[in-house]
């Protein structure tokens, strides 16, 4: 079985893993002011691209 001859330094190990990070999600702001993910219906008001898709009952 193959074994490494030299120890991998912290720097080399971290450079190799530099692309393993998670990307931050892009947020857009709906007309109601709520932050949502792009290409999805707003969970607060139920609108997508100006059209109403979900009915939200205001109990206030």
């Amino acid at each position: 079985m193959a074994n490494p001859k030299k120890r991998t330094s912290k720097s080399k190990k971290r450079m190799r893993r530099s692309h393993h990070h998670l990307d931050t999600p892009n947020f857009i702001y709906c007309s109601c002011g709520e932050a949502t993910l792009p290409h999805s219906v707003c969970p607060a008001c139920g609108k997508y691209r100006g059209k109403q898709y979900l009915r939200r009952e205001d109990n206030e």
Side-chain angles (χ1 to χ4, degrees), residues 3-60:
N3 288 323
K5 274 192 185 236
K6 301 265 182 167
R7 178 180 176 174
T8 305
S9 68
K10 290 179 187 177
S11 174
K12 286 290 182 185
K13 178 172 56 175
R14 289 174 183 165
M15 281 193 283
R16 183 179 69 239
R17 294 177 182 172
S18 66
H19 66 282
H20 289 189
H21 65 89
L22 294 174
D23 292 331
T24 56
N26 295 325
F27 286 110
I28 60 165
Y29 290 95
C30 180
S31 58
C32 68
E34 187 73 23
T36 62
L37 292 174
H39 307 288
S40 61
V41 177
C42 177
C45 65
K47 288 185 180 179
Y48 175 67
R49 296 184 68 187
K51 292 184 182 178
Q52 190 73 32
Y53 285 96
L54 297 176
R55 288 192 188 150
R56 292 291 170 193
E57 309 269 330
D58 289 335
N59 295 330
E60 298 175 8

